[in-house]
Amino acid sequence: MSEAGKPRLCRVSGRDTWHIYHQRKRISTGCTDRASAELILARYAAELSRPTTRAVSVSEILSLYLNDRREALKPGAERLSWAHKPVAAWFGEKPPEAVTDRECRAYAQKRMETGIAPSTARTEMQALRAALRWAAAQKIITECPNVPLPSRSPPKERWLTRDEAHALIGGCEAFHIRLFVILALGTGARVSALLELPWSRVDMERRIIDLRDPGKARTAKGRARVPINDGLLATLQEAHAVRETGWVIEWAGDRVASVKRGFRAATIRAGLEGVTPHTLRHTAATWMAQAGVPLWEIAGFLGHSNTAMVEETYAHHSPGHLKGASSSGYDPSATVPG
C-alpha cells in the first residue's frame, strides 16, 4: 500500500475527536487524545493487512484436497475418493462453520443407522478432518473446525480354520479367484496389493514376492517382500504358464479390478459365513501366531512398521501368550514353604 493510500489520523473542524481518514472516508476513533487514537489506527491498519479468505463450502474443500493429493501423487487418494462422497453429500454447500461436534455426531449416527460399520464412518470423518486441516494450512479457511471421530470398531475375530480354507479353495470355480485365495493365505497381503501385483515383482527363482509398488509413496499401511512357500510356488508356476497379461491376477486377458463377486460365490459354495477377502489376511496372521511365530516377525510379514496393532489383534493366538505371567500366580500343587 502506497503512503498516499495508507489510513491516517485527522481532525474535523469544530470537533475534538480524532478521525481515521482512509479512501476518502472519515471514521471517528471516539478519542480526544492522539495517543489513544494512534492505537485505534494501528488496529485498523492491522485489519486491512490481514489476508482475506474467500467463501468456500465443505464440498469444495474436500474436492480441492482430493485433487491436491492426486496431483502430488500422495498416498491415500484412492481411499479418500470414496470416503469423501457421503461427507460431501451431507454437508454439501454449507460453510466450514457448519462442521460442529453435534453435526459430526449426527452424521456418524445416521451412517451407522443405514448399516455402515463404525470403522467406515470413522474413516469418512478422518477424511473430513484431514481436508479441513489442509485447507487451514493453505489459508483457504482461517480456522479448522474440530471433527470428533466415532469410536474404533473392535478387531475382527473371524479367521479360517485349515479345513475352512480347503473348503473355500474347493469352492473357487474360476482359476483367478482360486489363485487370489491361495496368494492371500500365503502372503497375508491386502486385496489391493495382490490385484496390483505384476509378474515383474514375482521372483520364483529366488522365491520372493515384492508387494511394494515403486510408483507409490510409502504409507503407515506398508507392504513387504515375502517368501514363497512350496504350495504357493506350485500355484504361481501354474498361473505363469498360462498368463496372458503382465498381471498375476488376470481374467479374460485383462487385469482384475475386483474379486468381490467371485469370492462371495466361493464362500457360498463352501458354506462359509462372515468371510470377506480381508479375512484371508487376518487368517494368515492368525495361523502364524498360533504357530508361535514372534509378533515382530508377523508385523514385518504384514508390512507393519511396529508391532502395536499386531500385539493387540494376534497376541492372544500365540501359544506362549501370558504364560510367563500365569506361571507366577498361585499353584495349589506347589509345596508351601515351611
Side-chain angles (χ1 to χ4, degrees), residues 179-256:
L179 174 60
F180 166 79
V181 172
I182 295 174
L183 261 175
L185 289 172
T187 65
R190 294 183 179 86
V191 177
S192 59
L194 295 179
L195 297 185
E196 296 168 3
L197 180 64
W199 282 110
S200 59
R201 287 195 269 120
V202 178
D203 189 338
M204 285 187 281
E205 183 177 345
R206 297 173 57 206
R207 300 181 65 156
I208 291 290
I209 295 177
D210 192 348
L211 297 167
R212 303 169 301 177
D213 186 344
K216 290 187 176 182
R218 300 294 171 85
T219 69
K221 290 190 172 183
R223 298 179 180 180
R225 295 175 73 249
V226 297
I228 300 173
N229 61 38
D230 293 341
L232 179 54
L233 178 63
T235 302
L236 286 172
Q237 289 172 335
E238 181 184 358
H240 189 265
V242 296
R243 71 191 185 282
E244 296 181 9
T245 72
W247 305 101
V248 175
I249 307 293
E250 63 174 16
W251 183 79
D254 201 0
R255 173 185 170 186
V256 175

Side-chain angles (χ1 to χ4, degrees), residues 48-205:
L48 291 177
S49 61
R50 179 177 297 177
T52 58
T53 56
R54 62 185 179 88
V56 62
S57 68
V58 174
S59 178
E60 186 177 0
I61 289 172
L62 288 164
S63 294
L64 290 171
Y65 178 56
L66 177 58
N67 290 336
D68 175 76
R69 295 188 74 82
R70 281 174 171 166
E71 291 173 3
L73 299 179
K74 294 180 180 178
E78 293 179 4
R79 186 171 71 156
L80 179 65
S81 65
W82 65 258
H84 96 281
K85 289 180 181 179
V87 180
W90 178 274
F91 288 99
E93 299 306 311
K94 294 178 182 178
E97 291 76 15
V99 181
T100 62
D101 286 14
R102 181 177 181 179
E103 194 68 14
C104 289
R105 285 192 291 269
Y107 169 84
Q109 182 63 35
K110 188 67 175 180
R111 291 288 285 159
M112 288 185 282
E113 286 175 358
T114 61
I116 295 299
S119 57
T120 301
R122 182 182 176 89
T123 298
E124 293 166 357
M125 287 285 92
Q126 286 175 323
L128 173 61
R129 184 168 65 177
L132 290 170
R133 287 179 175 177
W134 171 84
Q138 298 296 317
K139 309 298 183 185
I140 297 174
I141 58 177
T142 54
E143 294 183 8
C144 179
N146 177 58
V147 179
L149 302 178
S151 300
R152 295 180 183 274
S153 299
K156 294 182 179 179
E157 290 293 333
R158 183 67 167 104
W159 52 275
L160 301 178
T161 64
R162 302 279 176 169
D163 287 342
E164 286 178 326
H166 286 310
L168 177 60
I169 293 172
C172 297
E173 291 187 347
F175 178 76
H176 71 283
I177 299 297
R178 175 174 170 269
L179 174 60
F180 166 79
V181 172
I182 295 174
L183 261 175
L185 289 172
T187 65
R190 294 183 179 86
V191 177
S192 59
L194 295 179
L195 297 185
E196 296 168 3
L197 180 64
W199 282 110
S200 59
R201 287 195 269 120
V202 178
D203 189 338
M204 285 187 281
E205 183 177 345

Side-chain angles (χ1 to χ4, degrees), residues 262-334:
F263 186 87
R264 175 60 179 159
T267 63
I268 293 174
R269 296 187 196 100
L272 302 175
E273 295 184 357
V275 177
T276 68
H278 188 74
T279 303
L280 304 181
R281 176 175 167 86
H282 188 49
T283 297
T286 300
W287 286 356
M288 284 186 277
Q290 290 173 338
V293 177
L295 295 179
W296 61 265
E297 190 171 338
I298 297 175
F301 197 89
L302 297 178
H304 292 294
S305 57
N306 60 67
T307 62
M309 191 282 290
V310 173
E311 289 174 353
E312 178 184 354
T313 310
Y314 303 108
H316 65 283
H317 289 290
S318 175
H321 181 55
L322 299 182
K323 278 191 175 180
S326 176
S327 63
S328 64
Y330 171 67
D331 183 356
S333 65

